[in-house]
Structure formats: C-alpha cells, structure tokens
Amino acid sequence: MAYQHILVTKIKGVGRIQLDRPDVLNALNLALMDELVHALNEMERDDEVGCILLCGNEHAFAAGADIFEMLDATTTDLLVQDQFSAWDRLSEVKKPMIAAVSGMALGGGCELAMACDLILAAEGSSFGQPEINLGVMPGAGGTQRLVRSVGKAKAMEMVLLGRPITAQEAYRLGLINEVVPAHQLEEEAMKWAQRLANKAPLAVRLAKESILKSMESTLAEGLDFEQKCFYLLFATEDQKEGMRAFVEKRRPHFHGK
Ligand code: CO8
C-alpha cells in the first residue's frame, strides 16, 4: 500500500510511523486512520519489528480528529463509516507502542498517544481534550484512559474546561514517561524503542497484556491472569535463554520463541 498521510520506516527492530499531514497539524482524517491501521497490521506480522514508534512533526503530534471531515457528518454517517473500528484496532496491538510527542497532542491526538504504552514528550509540547469547545466530547478514550492516568479531578478539568496541560504537568500527573529537550526527542524515543525491541518479545507481549488487563479486571482476576501468563512464558525458549544467560554472566539473545 502506498501511504499518503503517514511515513513508515523500519530501523533496527523499530517500526516507525510518522503522521504526515503537516498543513493541518496532523489532523486525523479517515484516510490517515486507515493507513495507520494498515501499517500497524503489517508491523504486527513482521518478526523484525519488536517495537512500534509513533510520532508527528516538531509542531504537532496530532491536533485531533479532522474537524472539516466531521463538520457536516450525521449520526448515520458516523455509524456507517464506523470510525471507531480503527481506534479499536489500536487497542488490540500486541507489540509495544511508544508515542513520541512534540508540539500538540489534542483531542484524538491525545487519545492516540494514550492508546500507546509509553509516551515521551518534548519540552514545550502539550496535551489536551478540547472537544468541549466544539460542542462535543472525547470519543476515543479521552474520558476513560485519561481518568485512569491523571485521576478524576484533572480529567474533569481537562475535558469539561478543555484546558490543555504542559508536558511537565503531564509528567507530574503520570500521563507520560519522560520529558526531553525537543531536539533530543527523536533520538531518545528511538533509544527507548530499540531497548524494548531487544527484550524477549513474548514476555513483553504478555506483560503488556497483563498490565492492560489490570484496567478492566478485579485484583483477583488480574492476579490470576498474571500468574497464567507467567506460567506460559516457561514454555518459551526465551525464558531458558534469559535465565541461562544470567547464570552464565552474558547478554541474552532472544528470538521470540
Ligand atoms: N482538524 C482539521 N484541521 C485542523 C485541525 C483539526 N483538528 N486542527 C488544526 N487544523 C488546521 C487549521 O484549520 C489550519 O488550517 P489552514 O492553515 O488551512 O487554516 C491549520 O491546521 C493550522 O491550524 P491553526 O491555524 O489553527 O494553528 P494555530 O497554531 O493557530 O492553532 C490549534 C493550533 C490551537 C491546535 C488549533 O488549530 C486548534 O484549536 N485546532 C483544533 C483542536 C481541536 O479542537 N481538536 C479536537 C478535534 S475533535 C476530536 O479530536 C475528537 C476525537 C474523537 C475520535 C475521533 C473518531 C471520530
């Protein structure tokens, strides 16, 4: 597939997807979301990709869903277009995903970052859910994932008042993992991604699944799931390799088996 709204590259085990609609601050239109899902599906199937890195440009990660596309949409249009199936697919990605945010991550942009597993942000970037100012509300996780990260009070402030927060504030609140100088974002995000890509893929996959499970289960159910995943990993060659490498005092070489 020839992509028009994203740039896709593969660098040392990292599948990098750059949102590329710079003229509209990477507004997420239907075509871009389709391409994103297509690229993610390809990367899920690609054994050489151990981690997916999602980024925008220096001015914007993404300024939200494309308002021009939604302006005249009816409820029926939205139902027929089934836009949220693309977003649902994002939540199902098994490989780890890192968002590298520079500039604005607003509305669907903030929701896209939150659908990733780790978020690194450049100094000066901002996160927000301004949909209320358009007479609507977040629709792709902004009232659900956000509250789980920043708590009810701040989520209410961000969603009801549409007030964005800075990267530093997002870091203090636990929404993101690290704030770095803007000129170091790409390098730092790639370092994190490559580090992740070198871990045992099946252990990463099940650990990710287990952490996400905790958001939707009771503690007892979550602990049960975690234990089953732990047992499962003892069926992998990577478990033997990881522990053997430790006792032999050498670096492990994982193969995802
Ligand atoms: N959609 C379409 N175009 C956009 C968007 C957008 N979300 N944001 C910016 N643009 C365009 C502008 O129209 C402008 O285009 P042009 O140059 O042709 O006039 C260009 O990008 C640059 O924007 P500005 O001139 O406005 O740049 P500023 O630096 O002055 O302002 C802002 C930047 C503050 C980000 C401003 O552009 C803005 O407020 N944008 C809208 C942000 C917003 O409200 N986002 C939420 C959108 S709704 C949403 O995300 C719902 C998600 C639900 C899930 C989706 C599934 C359906």
Side-chain angles (χ1 to χ4, degrees), residues 23-25 27 63-68 83-84 104 106-108 111 130 134:
D23 294 345
V24 287
L25 305 175
D66 192 314
I67 298 169
F68 290 88
Q83 304 197 21
F84 289 117
M104 304 152 210
L106 299 177
E111 291 167 318
L134 300 170

Side-chain angles (χ1 to χ4, degrees), residues 39-51:
L40 289 172
N41 286 337
E42 297 270 295
M43 288 178 183
E44 284 271 74
R45 280 193 290 267
D46 187 340
D47 288 343
E48 287 176 8
V49 172
C51 181

Side-chain angles (χ1 to χ4, degrees), residues 2 6 31 56 58 66 74 78 103-104 120 122 151-152 181 186 189 222 254:
I6 57 174
E58 55 178 323
D66 192 314
T74 63
L78 295 185
M104 304 152 210
L120 272 61
K152 178 189 159 196
E186 173 75 25
F254 296 121

